[in-house]
Amino acid sequence: MASPSNPTLMANAIRALAMDAVQQGNSGHPGAPMGMADIAVALWGRHLKHNPGNPQWPDRDRFVLSNGHGSMLIYALLHLSGYDLPMSELRNFRQLHSKTPGHPEVGITPGVETTTGPLGQGLVNAVGMALAEKLLAREFNRPGHDVVDHRTYVFLGDGCLMEGISHEGCALAAAWKLDKLIALYDDNGISIDGQVAPWFVDDTPKRFEAYGWNVIADVDGHDTDAVDAAIRQAQQGTGRPTLICCKTNIGHGSPNRAGTAKAHGEPLGADEIKLTRTALGWPHEPFVIPEDAYTQWDAKAAGGAAEEAWNDRFAAYRAEHPELAAEYLRRMRGELPPTWAQTALDAAAAAHAKAETVATRKASQLALETFTKVLPELLGGSADLTGSNLTNTSSTPPLRFDERGAPNDGRHVNYGVREFGMAAIMNGITLHGGYLPYGGTFLTFSDYSRNAIRMAALMKQRVIHVFTHDSIGLGEDGPTHQSVEHAASLRLIPGLDVWRPCDTAETSVAWACAIESVSRPSALLLSRQNLPYAPKARLDDIARGAYVLAEPSEVGLKKKAQAIIIATGSEVQHALHAQQLLAVQGIAVRVVSMPSTTVFDRQSEAYKAGVLPKGLPRIAVEAGVTAGWWKYGCAAVIGIDTYGESAPGGVLFKHFHVTAENVAATVAKVLGG
């Protein structure tokens, strides 16, 4: 890209829009956009490969603003360079239903690649994007045809580096030799509480050198040419990701606020904005940008030409490799192959026919064995628990990189003990496109991952979390590892589908639903211990989240149900046994298996009433906290509202009275009044 003729004008346009929009909205963070404006000119004006006319062009560079509180920086860049973000939206900064929300949100603003704000996660999303690019290039590029060839750039601040997730993600970026990942660090020394020196004592360049990054230190962040030169150096292909440390002055240009915490998170104020305009030599009224600035920022022609050149290269690629080209486009669109639906049906039917007694973590691996064969986009992994989570299959060998950084054909990522980093990297992978990531750990460690899971739900991204060892059933490891509140807690996250299947068929269906769930992440909660297969007449309704598993007639009673037992996961076996015990007493009950409360809650009122008809007492049983079950109008809930104990799983179920006998006694008591 040609060097801008007036970088100062371009940078000051960003500063003016940032301070005007924050002042207009009476809320926001002007300091970072004003301090990083010259860095933005260097990257967006001279290097970034993007097309404002088509924000979803597959081979565009990815840009992430990890310090998302500085959202007016990216909004100004998108507006100035020609995206569909008119000035009216900048005037509407942080207002209801605007395209300029307080923090950047993917799917709301054209050109925003990921939702940022929780610090550090954007940086680690960028690691996932860079990994996806590298693996897609390995899979699809052919000699003379580099159809996957782009970089990932990320802006970050002190707060991103203070967050522990930055350690998890950046260590992996170095291990994976992601040399197309370039991070530009806004080293302004200021956070909300003031000068960071008393509490941020890291030597950041040495920290990243220790990871194995290429570090370019002490760059003047207000010298566009210096930043430009650092980016060019980073692009030379060192075999390592690059951190460019840019010294900046927060709120640059503001006579009285620059370099202080007052510039960070509040409007400058009308008087200070007037002084800043004078100091910058910016005579224009609020939200007025001179035509010369628009002309220099305009990226539409260059972006269109870059995409057109790629289209020509892709056409040549498609002529020589038509099947690969079709597969690449399918994958980038996030579509499943035409054979998928039948594969999913066949897998569930096979599980039903075999009726195996296995742990649902093993049932998960059995389903994955089938699905990873037919879906090359499935990219698995585990946070150092592969042998326990059983996330690997014969189609997903371990991912490894040679000394030059070239990946093998592996499709299973060893994330190490980095649950949070794994979750945020998976978000970046799915945001990039081309892969459907899944990753495993113990359910109790979902707390480490939780904010990244929430972000996936907020962004409506298809990510699959495999959480094994889901209850006291794991046994001797004790209460530190035994989940009691986690299933209920995950179900509270809007937009997250939580599955707790009871056997191989339900697990297969849960996996199929998660794979098909294009706008929701999913969490699969799986047992360590073996579970018996639950006989069932049909499989069709499992995907609806809950279904009638057994009527009274199936235990020899020819009368209507007097009560309903609702159960999930490992407790379904207790519900079925309780049904038999009650039948001996002449008490007729219906057993409902509810592998996914979140999916069931979205069904039609007619379907829900068919499964849980009014007038019948409902008794729920799950080896976890009882709080989430009362919404179903239960007369009683059998669960665990304390922490677990260290003992064999079978002993613990009896100790906590999660047994068929207690379920039967509770039903009898409810009916007895």
Side-chain angles (χ1 to χ4, degrees):
M1 299 177 69
S3 296
S5 58
N6 192 342
T8 300
L9 174 68
M10 297 173 73
N12 286 343
I14 294 172
R15 295 185 175 105
L17 287 173
M19 63 184 182
D20 289 344
V22 171
Q23 185 70 21
Q24 172 102 345
N26 196 32
S27 174
H29 302 74
M34 296 175 73
M36 295 194 77
D38 302 294
I39 302 171
V41 172
L43 176 60
W44 280 64
R46 302 184 183 181
H47 295 281
L48 193 71
K49 181 176 67 173
H50 65 119
N51 181 10
N54 182 11
Q56 298 304 312
W57 167 36
D59 203 45
R60 68 193 181 278
D61 288 339
R62 298 330 193 246
F63 172 76
V64 175
L65 183 70
S66 187
N67 44 346
H69 54 273
S71 56
M72 266 310 302
L73 175 60
I74 193 168
Y75 298 152
L77 288 165
L78 293 169
H79 169 76
L80 291 166
S81 59
Y83 285 78
D84 183 18
L85 193 68
M87 187 67 82
S88 59
E89 293 292 349
L90 274 61
R91 289 179 176 273
N92 212 21
F93 179 57
R94 287 186 163 223
Q95 304 306 303
L96 185 64
H97 302 319
S98 77
K99 291 184 179 180
T100 50
H103 293 81
E105 295 185 40
V106 67
I108 300 295
T109 314
V112 169
E113 301 282 4
T114 181
T115 299
T116 55
L119 292 175
Q121 285 195 60
L123 170 59
V124 183
N125 292 165
V127 172
M129 293 175 185
L131 177 63
E133 191 274 345
K134 190 166 199 170
L135 298 184
L136 285 169
R138 171 211 66 191
E139 191 172 350
F140 288 99
N141 287 354
R142 292 295 182 269
H145 298 284
D146 290 339
V147 294
V148 181
D149 184 14
H150 54 268
R151 293 185 171 88
T152 301
Y153 296 95
V154 55
F155 284 1
L156 62 138
D158 295 307
C160 294
L161 295 179
M162 289 186 229
E163 290 285 358
I165 191 175
S166 68
H167 168 66
E168 298 184 25
C170 292
L172 285 169
W176 298 334
K177 300 178 173 62
L178 301 179
D179 59 353
K180 288 186 178 178
L181 173 63
I182 299 175
L184 294 105
Y185 165 37
D186 178 28
D187 183 8
N188 62 40
I190 295 291
S191 68
I192 292 174
D193 284 352
Q195 292 281 347
V196 301
W199 55 84
F200 187 41
V201 298
D202 307 26
D203 186 327
T204 296
K206 287 184 178 178
R207 171 187 164 188
F208 276 76
E209 287 171 357
Y211 291 142
W213 282 54
N214 174 43
V215 177
I216 304 172
D218 298 318
V219 176
D220 182 352
H222 298 300
D223 183 339
T224 301
D225 290 337
V227 178
D228 174 25
I231 294 171
R232 292 183 190 280
Q233 182 181 338
Q235 292 170 342
Q236 294 309 304
T238 62
R240 297 176 289 168
T242 295
L243 178 72
I244 302 173
C245 301
C246 302
K247 294 286 186 180
T248 65
N249 190 26
I250 191 171
H252 187 73
S254 171
N256 299 302
R257 296 286 185 94
T260 73
K262 295 289 284 183
H264 176 83
E266 61 185 73
L268 296 182
D271 292 340
E272 185 65 15
I273 287 176
K274 185 176 181 181
L275 292 173
T276 304
R277 277 185 151 76
T278 300
L280 294 175
W282 188 265
H284 311 287
E285 293 297 312
F287 298 105
V288 173
I289 301 296
E291 198 60 37
D292 189 23
Y294 275 125
T295 299
Q296 294 190 45
W297 268 117
D298 190 353
K300 294 191 294 294
E307 181 177 359
E308 187 60 34
W310 181 83
N311 288 339
D312 291 342
R313 294 196 302 274
F314 192 81
Y317 173 74
R318 178 158 44 194
E320 194 167 331
H321 305 284
E323 292 183 359
L324 275 177
E327 176 71 359
Y328 172 76
L329 293 175
R330 176 189 75 78
R331 297 261 296 271
M332 292 304 293
R333 289 193 296 262
E335 297 174 355
L336 296 170
T339 58
W340 163 252
Q342 191 60 51
T343 298
L345 289 173
D346 291 346
H352 179 58
K354 291 181 180 178
E356 293 178 281
T357 294
V358 295
T360 50
R361 62 172 175 157
K362 181 61 179 178
S364 169
Q365 188 179 46
L366 293 171
L368 277 172
E369 189 64 45
T370 296
F371 296 155
T372 54
K373 279 186 175 72
V374 299
L375 296 177
E377 58 263 46
L378 280 173
L379 182 65
S382 173
D384 202 47
L385 289 168
T386 302
S388 294
N389 302 147
L390 303 181
T391 45
N392 58 328
T393 73
S394 61
S395 298
T396 59
L399 177 64
R400 297 290 184 265
F401 299 83
D402 66 20
E403 291 183 359
R404 298 176 295 106
N408 64 0
D409 291 331
R411 287 170 52 199
H412 190 272
V413 182
N414 298 105
Y415 287 99
V417 188
R418 300 182 178 97
E419 296 87 358
F420 194 7
M422 175 177 70
I425 286 169
M426 290 197 297
N427 287 350
I429 290 169
T430 197
L431 284 160
H432 179 279
Y435 289 104
L436 199 175
Y438 67 90
T441 187
F442 290 166
L443 177 56
T444 192
F445 301 144
S446 64
D447 286 338
Y448 286 130
S449 309
R450 186 178 182 85
N451 199 260
I453 298 171
R454 181 181 187 270
M455 293 300 289
L458 176 61
M459 296 188 287
K460 302 179 180 178
Q461 294 300 307
R462 179 167 46 178
V463 178
I464 303 174
H465 293 270
V466 180
F467 294 127
T468 67
H469 296 59
D470 69 343
S471 74
I472 57 170
L474 66 88
E476 293 84 349
D477 275 344
T480 58
H481 285 52
Q482 292 164 359
S483 295
V484 289
E485 78 277 24
H486 295 86
S489 177
L490 289 170
R491 289 169 183 147
L492 292 174
I493 298 177
L496 173 68
D497 279 345
V498 180
W499 290 88
R500 189 168 183 254
C502 76
D503 61 16
T504 53
E506 285 193 0
T507 304
S508 182
V509 171
W511 261 109
C513 289
I515 288 169
E516 294 168 5
S517 183
V518 295
S519 61
R520 291 174 180 268
S522 299
L524 277 57
L525 282 46
L526 307 169
S527 74
R528 175 182 184 267
Q529 72 277 23
N530 287 345
L531 302 180
Y533 189 78
K536 47 186 71 68
R538 50 186 293 175
L539 305 176
D540 301 6
D541 290 334
I542 297 174
R544 304 182 80 165
Y547 63 101
V548 178
L549 178 61
E551 293 283 26
S553 59
E554 291 170 62
V555 287
L557 292 182
K558 296 181 179 179
K559 60 180 182 179
K560 291 183 179 180
Q562 299 163 259
I564 301 172
I565 304 173
I566 309 169
T568 78
S570 53
E571 289 67 72
V572 170
Q573 61 180 315
H574 300 308
L576 290 171
H577 188 197
Q579 184 190 42
Q580 295 172 345
L581 294 175
L582 289 163
V584 174
Q585 304 173 46
I587 298 174
V589 299
R590 166 186 285 187
V591 175
V592 168
S593 178
M594 192 176 288
S596 179
T597 63
T598 51
V599 173
F600 178 67
D601 290 349
R602 295 200 301 274
Q603 302 306 307
S604 68
E605 291 302 319
Y607 181 77
K608 288 189 285 188
V611 175
L612 301 175
K614 293 180 180 179
L616 290 181
R618 302 164 187 175
I619 298 88
V621 54
E622 184 174 61
V625 294
T626 59
W629 290 102
W630 299 105
K631 68 178 181 179
Y632 295 110
C634 292
V637 179
I638 299 161
I640 304 172
D641 286 317
T642 64
Y643 292 110
E645 298 278 357
S646 181
V651 172
L652 292 173
F653 277 100
K654 292 178 182 177
H655 175 75
F656 288 104
H657 308 293
V658 183
T659 62
E661 290 77 13
N662 189 39
V663 174
T666 302
V667 172
K669 183 178 179 181
V670 167
L671 291 175

